[in-house]
């Protein structure tokens, strides 16, 4: 994608986000990919279905320096497990092949490995926040919280989709075009 088309895509996404906020409706996100039970969820549904955790974090932003926030929400691993990723849950090697890609409303997206959040591997306490600094994120959309990161880039806000899937043999990327 060229720099101009990236800028245009970001501008359109930002217009869509403004319109969405004005409508006052809850922003949902999809959990999709190589999962047996794809999910569409809102912040209210996260609060109703999973125990809430709290994280007080500081991260560095290249533009604005140190940022401090308090987030509340369920563990990412618990929400993604409900979508039943297509690995054998008893086999650590199978689980270690999976990736998690998180996309935000403005087109910003980032990648994690399943092993980062898996209790038998990195066990990182990532959250899908439904509140930031006591403010509900129902209208803006949920935010990824990565307390183990020093930098803020993976704190994706206004999450619209989370893709879960495996990489192939020889480290091949996942099949393109998965819905
Ligand atoms: N959707 C989205 N989320 C994003 C970004 C972005 O551009 N788009 N920037 C990231 C970066 S680089 C940082 S440092 C933090 C900044 O968060 P704050 O300004 O709310 O503290 O948001 C992160 N989340
Ligand atoms: Mo940043």
């Amino acid at each position: 994608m060229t720099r101009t088309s990236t800028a245009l895509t970001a501008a359109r996404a930002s217009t869509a986000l403004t319109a969405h906020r004005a409508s006052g409706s809850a922003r949902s996100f999809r959990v999709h990919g190589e999962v047996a039970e794809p999910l569409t969820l809102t912040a209210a549904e996260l609060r109703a279905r999973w125990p809430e955790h709290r994280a007080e974090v500081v991260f560095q932003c290249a533009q604005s320096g140190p940022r401090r926030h308090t987030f509340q929400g369920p563990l990412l691993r618990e929400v993604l497990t409900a979508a039943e990723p297509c690995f054998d849950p008893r086999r650590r090697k199978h689980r270690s092949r999976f990736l998690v890609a998180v996309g935000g409303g403005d087109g910003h997206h980032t990648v994690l490995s399943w092993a980062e959040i898996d209790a038998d591997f990195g066990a990182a306490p990532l959250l899908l926040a439904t509140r930031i600094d006591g403010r509900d994120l129902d209208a803006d959309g949920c935010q990824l919280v990565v307390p183990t990161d020093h930098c803020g880039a993976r704190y994706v806000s206004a999450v619209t989709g989370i893709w879960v899937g495996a990489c192939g043999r020889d480290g091949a990327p996942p099949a393109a075009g998965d819905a």
Side-chain angles (χ1 to χ4, degrees):
M1 198 184 265
T2 64
R3 189 172 294 206
T4 316
S5 64
T6 305
L8 271 175
T9 307
R12 283 193 201 108
S14 149
T15 309
L17 182 57
T18 307
H20 173 82
R21 276 184 189 145
S23 76
S25 56
R27 170 169 279 231
S28 62
F29 65 93
R30 293 195 306 147
V31 181
H32 60 117
E34 295 177 26
V35 296
E37 288 291 331
L39 303 170
T40 300
L41 294 163
T42 60
E45 286 165 334
L46 292 185
R47 282 185 211 108
R49 284 183 63 174
W50 288 279
E52 186 174 88
H53 294 250
R54 183 185 173 92
E56 292 180 16
V57 305
V58 183
F59 56 77
Q60 305 295 324
C61 174
Q63 266 76 48
S64 44
R67 311 283 297 151
R68 185 179 294 273
H69 294 291
T70 301
F71 292 101
Q72 290 162 266
L75 286 168
L76 176 67
R77 96 167 68 93
E78 295 192 357
V79 178
L80 298 187
T81 298
E84 299 180 21
C86 299
F87 46 52
D88 181 341
R90 293 161 305 181
R91 297 187 64 185
R92 295 173 182 178
K93 276 188 189 171
H94 283 189
R95 303 199 312 267
S96 79
R97 292 175 190 147
F98 271 62
L99 303 170
V100 177
V102 182
D106 59 354
H108 176 52
H109 52 280
T110 198
V111 173
L112 317 159
S113 66
W114 181 272
E116 278 182 82
I117 56 174
D118 190 301
D120 289 325
F121 293 90
L126 273 69
L127 303 184
L128 264 176
T130 63
R131 279 190 194 100
I132 178 171
D133 303 326
R135 177 172 65 82
D136 286 350
L137 289 172
D138 299 62
D140 286 354
C142 297
Q143 181 160 2
L144 184 66
V145 177
V146 194
T148 40
D149 278 4
H150 294 296
C151 154
R154 295 204 295 179
Y155 280 75
V156 179
S157 59
V159 169
T160 50
I162 304 180
W163 180 90
V164 181
C167 62
R169 292 172 81 95
D170 297 323
D178 178 79

